[in-house]
Amino acid sequence: MMRFGYQLLCATSLIVASINTAQGLQYQVEKTIIEGMSVPGHETVTSMGIDCFNKASGEFPTNCLHKPAFIGLLNERTNIDIPTIPKLNAQELLDASSFPDDPGRVAATFKGGAKGFFLNKEKCEFRPFYQFGLGGKRQFFNNITGGLFCNSHYGVLQFWHAMASRPMPSEKAPIVNDSQVEPYQNTLNKILGWAAFTYKISRDNKATILREEFCPYFTKLKQDSLMKDMALAFVPDEEIDLKSQQQFHCEDLDPPFRVRFIFKQQCNGMFSAANCDPLPDNQQGNRKIQIAALGSLVHMIQDSYSQSHVVRNKYDPLTPARIDCAPVKAYLTYKGQDPDKHGASDVFPLSINPNCSANIIDDPVTATAKVLWYVNHADDKADELITYLKVNVFKSAYTDNSLAPNASAGDNFKL
């Protein structure tokens, strides 16, 4: 779910077949043929963006689709000049570009492949063997106490995929109420807030932010107009959220949870994310987190061109997977969507119109290259990045966003 394709490396065809039928769409084995080559989607867009960034030789990339581009996947021999992430190579960023689909880093192993069958929407609703007690459905995506996986795909962290969250976050907290939907501006705020946050993490080579205490850090961000909606997803207000329980990451723990928690998990359990070996808090471990944050940023931008995530133009059922470089009309939410209809638009398109970037809205390849350019610079360009995203990627189709529709499953993707 929620990406242009993610290729699993599984040990047996039986496991592959099982995963491909699971409703945890992020574990589907999706491929598409591009010039005779079978390639996964996010990795392909990221490869083309890296290639365009490198060919710009320090200049601001422009319309990457008008330049000869590498079609396929770059590898560890291709370097990316990011001063805060020394010796970053293409393969590392390609892997990280699917981080929001797999925040526990489980998909590249045999065990991870098996886990793909067990982690899906049903298991996020009903997990008697993974949580307390037996029997009865429990919702695990109303709050991040249910885990990053469930919430990034079905819950309050869907903005990782440029989608509206479920349930709707209020000024207070993510209220557990299925009848409420998220306003357009809230979704946009969370997307831009996450962009600013992941940009800063990707440049945090001294791990200053990563070592901040989790709850105080996000509580402080709730006072920032840009970051507030995003921060509420991580630290909702106590009087609304889980009235009888403390959040697992806000309890008085010694040592306390740190911001790096979001990106540090490496889970190898076959059936759950209960057994995880966190990335160490050292230069090597924190470098991997920086790369994951950068991958998460480009993933979110790329996902915004999927028609089952964001409405940019009129839907064409004959070409469900296509790139429209048009302003954003609506943000969709996965609740109520048909998994097959969602997945049909969630793969890399067979072609992208080379005139796409002639519009004010950039194509996802050019947008990826420009993100790398912003991260590449020695000085902090967070404000410039957010301005760029507002104007050239997530530009609103409305002069007044209060007139925009609230989030929905989308007429073309309903069950």
Side-chain angles (χ1 to χ4, degrees):
M1 173 184 165
M2 302 183 186
R3 81 265 173 276
F4 289 119
Y6 188 75
Q7 183 180 32
L8 294 176
L9 301 177
C10 300
T12 69
S13 60
L14 175 60
I15 292 295
V16 172
S18 298
I19 295 168
N20 204 35
T21 60
Q23 288 194 38
L25 293 179
Q26 68 290 342
Y27 286 103
Q28 279 186 327
V29 180
E30 292 181 356
K31 297 181 179 180
T32 189
I33 303 300
I34 302 175
E35 295 188 357
M37 300 172 63
S38 181
V39 292
H42 274 296
E43 291 88 338
T44 301
V45 177
T46 304
S47 281
M48 295 170 70
I50 293 169
D51 187 58
C52 185
F53 166 75
N54 284 344
K55 287 179 177 177
S57 300
E59 299 296 322
F60 194 54
T62 57
N63 203 339
C64 296
L65 298 184
H66 279 173
K67 299 177 175 62
F70 178 88
I71 301 296
L73 300 181
L74 300 171
N75 56 41
E76 67 276 1
R77 293 188 297 275
T78 303
N79 294 321
I80 309 171
D81 182 17
I82 303 294
T84 56
I85 311 177
K87 299 181 180 180
L88 176 63
N89 65 61
Q91 187 61 58
E92 291 176 305
L93 187 55
L94 264 58
D95 292 341
S97 69
S98 290
F99 173 84
D101 289 332
D102 182 23
R105 295 180 176 87
V106 300
T109 66
F110 175 84
K111 288 184 177 180
K115 182 182 174 184
F117 182 77
F118 290 92
L119 273 181
N120 55 42
K121 186 177 181 181
E122 280 61 45
K123 305 308 179 291
C124 287
E125 291 179 330
F126 178 48
R127 298 195 292 177
F129 300 108
Y130 312 139
Q131 301 291 335
F132 309 122
L134 298 173
K137 282 197 173 185
R138 297 181 60 194
Q139 301 290 340
F140 286 88
F141 37 78
N142 289 327
N143 179 272
I144 65 167
T145 54
L148 299 177
F149 175 90
C150 288
N151 279 288
S152 68
H153 293 92
Y154 312 111
V156 297
L157 300 180
Q158 288 183 70
F159 57 88
W160 284 11
H161 307 277
M163 296 190 79
S165 297
R166 172 201 175 277
M168 182 191 82
S170 70
E171 288 292 315
K172 294 292 184 181
I175 298 175
V176 181
N177 187 332
D178 286 352
S179 67
Q180 294 190 330
V181 292
E182 184 167 286
Y184 182 104
Q185 188 62 51
N186 286 65
T187 308
L188 177 58
N189 287 348
K190 287 195 286 186
I191 287 171
L192 296 176
W194 183 246
F197 173 70
T198 51
Y199 168 82
K200 288 183 178 296
I201 295 297
S202 70
R203 295 169 51 81
D204 186 23
N205 60 326
K206 295 183 179 180
T208 303
I209 299 173
L210 295 179
R211 292 180 178 132
E212 292 271 359
E213 288 191 30
F214 189 101
C215 288
Y217 179 82
F218 285 104
T219 298
K220 183 177 180 180
L221 286 189
K222 288 194 288 186
Q223 309 307 312
D224 185 299
S225 59
L226 174 66
M227 310 297 283
K228 177 181 65 177
D229 289 308
M230 183 273 291
L232 274 168
F234 292 101
V235 182
D237 289 347
E238 293 179 3
E239 63 266 29
I240 300 294
D241 174 63
L242 296 179
K243 296 179 181 178
S244 63
Q245 300 179 22
Q246 286 183 299
Q247 295 183 63
F248 74 101
H249 54 279
C250 290
E251 295 175 352
D252 294 328
L253 299 178
D254 186 18
F257 271 82
R258 306 290 179 180
V259 171
R260 67 193 309 275
F261 161 77
I262 299 171
F263 301 102
K264 76 174 185 178
Q265 304 304 317
Q266 295 186 118
C267 307
N268 298 312
M270 182 175 290
F271 304 122
S272 77
N275 299 316
C276 302
D277 296 319
L279 292 172
D281 185 2
N282 56 28
Q283 185 175 16
Q284 182 179 11
N286 291 325
R287 178 180 178 275
K288 289 183 178 179
I289 290 177
Q290 288 182 270
I291 299 170
L294 181 55
S296 180
L297 174 55
V298 300
H299 181 108
M300 178 179 69
I301 290 171
Q302 293 167 8
D303 265 357
S304 76
Y305 295 87
S306 169
Q307 294 191 95
S308 56
H309 293 224
V310 173
V311 178
R312 291 185 181 270
N313 217 327
K314 185 177 179 180
Y315 179 76
D316 181 1
L318 297 179
T319 55
R322 77 169 192 269
I323 298 301
D324 276 324
C325 294
V328 175
K329 294 182 178 179
Y331 294 99
L332 303 181
T333 183
Y334 190 69
K335 179 175 173 55
Q337 286 195 348
D338 182 306
D340 293 329
K341 293 177 182 177
H342 178 102
S345 74
D346 220 14
V347 297
F348 188 80
L350 294 180
S351 65
I352 303 177
N353 188 335
N355 294 320
C356 196
S357 288
N359 300 322
I360 192 172
I361 307 299
D362 281 332
D363 64 88
V365 175
T366 302
T368 297
K370 289 183 177 180
V371 165
L372 295 177
W373 185 87
Y374 284 114
V375 178
N376 163 267
H377 278 70
D379 54 327
D380 189 331
K381 289 189 173 291
D383 291 343
E384 292 182 38
L385 170 64
I386 298 305
T387 298
Y388 163 72
L389 293 177
K390 285 181 179 179
V391 175
N392 299 106
V393 177
F394 296 101
K395 180 179 174 60
S396 174
Y398 310 94
T399 55
D400 182 355
N401 285 348
S402 66
L403 302 177
N406 291 333
S408 70
D411 292 339
N412 302 294
F413 303 98
K414 289 180 180 178
L415 285 166

